[in-house]
Amino acid sequence: MLTEMLLPLAFVATLTAFIFSLLLYLKALIAPASALAPGGNSGNPIYDFFLGRELNPRICSFDCKYFCELRPGLIGWVLINLALLVQEAELRGSPSLAMWLVNGFQLLYVGDALWYEEAVLTTMDITHDGFGFMLAFGDLAWVPFTYSLQAQFLLYHPQPLELSMASVICLINAVGYCIFRGANSQKNTFRKNPSDPRVAGLETISTATGRQLLVSGWWGMVRHPNYLGDLIMALAWSLPCGVSHLLPYFYLLYFTALLVHREARDEQQCLQKYGLAWREYCRRVPYRIVPYIY
Ligand code: NDP
């Protein structure tokens, strides 16, 4: 049974990520300077091994980071969730409503990532961070085994869920998804073609690099509307598990910390890239992630 093998599988995934990152580090030693990531090229082998020395390591045309970001971890997460749903059905006769919701919401999230896979090309992971142990471990081990914690929890702690409460949770997830998808698609469309009719009417700020920053639409609401949508969805994934235990809220807490830190890193990079234009954007759009709060 897959669910009984989760711990050994997580161990193997971690070991695989470690060996893989070691090979990536060795490969990066002979890579040209132009292929190195800005942050993972400090000269300290442990630091560079962890952060990733090479930006987008490739074997012929196979891009290792692009593949790991989108395929094994995300698909593994959905498969683990599904195995937990099937086991619950065997144990209790049918999957609970809470288990259906968690599976459905997370399947939508993974399906979205795969459907809009080219959007990953403009994320920080691809454009800025090197491919080292941090990302390899995150993609291969952390995502499938910790992001499925809610479904793991529900298998051992069944939760009664009223239809009315389930509808409210579905609504929260839908709101989060609309903000997340709307913001990501708007930026992606704008970066690909600023004259696209879907974004051509939006207000922008010009920068010295020739690129522009959106200052209306989703990106005029807060400086990271996509993070806001993601966090609202994270809340919706935890709520079906009730409020009796902290474990299902681990993802929400961890993800809040991750996105707050990620947002600060991105701000720093944007300030370096765009200077005064970024300051003007911050003045026009004062909140980072949550309107009027943060
Ligand atoms: P973003 O997709 O938010 O990209 C940030 C970049 O967008 C900036 O560096 C800048 O780059 C550009 N940008 C910022 N402001 C503007 C603006 N006003 N107008 C136009 N361009 C702007 O970063 P991430 O890679 O962090 O996130 C991508 C998605 O992945 C998010 O939805 C996030 O929630 C999700 N995510 C999910 C994780 C998970 O584990 N589930 C983990 C991490 C992220 P430039 O100007 O160079 O284009």
Side-chain angles (χ1 to χ4, degrees):
M1 198 48 98
L2 177 67
T3 49
E4 281 147 24
M5 296 292 290
L6 284 180
L7 217 54
L9 282 172
F11 176 74
V12 171
T14 306
L15 194 66
T16 307
F18 184 81
I19 295 169
F20 186 36
S21 331
L22 208 58
L23 294 174
L24 287 173
Y25 179 77
L26 294 176
K27 178 181 177 312
L29 291 179
I30 51 164
S34 59
L36 301 184
N41 190 16
S42 70
N44 178 336
I46 297 177
Y47 183 83
D48 292 347
F49 162 80
F50 185 79
L51 275 195
R53 212 172 123 76
E54 200 174 340
L55 186 60
N56 296 115
R58 292 196 179 112
I59 302 164
C60 301
S61 63
F62 180 80
D63 189 307
C64 302
K65 198 206 294 180
Y66 188 73
F67 173 77
C68 289
E69 284 276 295
L70 285 166
R71 297 287 189 271
L74 289 183
I75 294 171
W77 173 19
V78 166
L79 289 180
I80 292 172
N81 272 352
L82 196 63
L84 291 157
L85 181 141
V86 170
Q87 197 173 346
E88 196 190 39
E90 281 175 1
L91 209 67
R92 305 197 180 96
S94 65
S96 61
L97 182 55
M99 184 65 100
W100 278 119
L101 287 194
V102 166
N103 261 264
F105 293 160
Q106 297 182 352
L107 182 65
L108 171 72
Y109 191 75
V110 171
D112 174 276
L114 297 180
W115 185 261
Y116 293 101
E117 70 167 31
E118 61 159 61
V120 83
L121 293 174
T122 57
T123 64
M124 274 163 65
D125 287 6
I126 296 286
T127 58
H128 186 266
D129 298 342
F131 193 31
F133 183 71
M134 185 178 78
L135 272 186
F137 171 76
D139 290 341
L140 303 179
W142 183 259
V143 167
F145 295 99
T146 66
Y147 284 23
S148 57
L149 267 181
Q150 283 116 351
Q152 294 180 45
F153 173 84
L154 286 174
L155 181 65
Y156 302 106
H157 305 85
Q159 300 291 319
L161 189 59
E162 297 282 325
L163 258 181
S164 52
M165 186 58 190
S167 312
V168 172
I169 296 173
C170 285
L171 189 68
I172 296 175
N173 196 65
V175 169
Y177 180 73
C178 285
I179 300 176
F180 166 85
R181 177 51 31 226
N184 279 327
S185 289
Q186 196 167 69
K187 174 165 71 79
N188 214 37
T189 307
F190 182 70
R191 279 286 173 252
K192 256 182 18 200
N193 175 17
S195 331
D196 187 303
R198 285 168 293 176
V199 291
L202 294 172
E203 209 182 330
T204 57
I205 296 179
S206 300
T207 74
T209 65
R211 297 189 107 187
Q212 291 179 314
L213 291 168
L214 289 167
V215 75
S216 67
W218 289 112
W219 297 81
M221 181 174 77
V222 284
R223 299 206 291 272
H224 267 96
N226 47 353
Y227 290 0
L228 174 66
D230 225 333
L231 286 171
I232 295 174
M233 282 192 285
L235 173 67
W237 302 353
S238 306
L239 288 174
C241 304
V243 288
S244 60
H245 213 293
L246 195 62
L247 189 72
Y249 291 83
F250 168 77
Y251 175 72
L252 178 62
L253 297 174
Y254 142 81
F255 201 44
T256 304
L258 180 140
L259 290 184
V260 165
H261 178 251
R262 198 175 170 92
E263 202 278 338
R265 267 200 318 143
D266 191 45
E267 291 261 326
Q268 203 53 43
Q269 283 161 26
C270 287
L271 185 60
Q272 265 174 19
K273 258 187 295 189
Y274 301 126
L276 281 178
W278 186 257
R279 286 195 201 284
E280 170 64 8
Y281 177 52
C282 294
R283 195 188 61 76
R284 299 269 302 267
V285 184
Y287 293 98
R288 292 165 184 261
I289 301 178
V290 187
Y292 304 106
I293 296 180
Y294 178 74

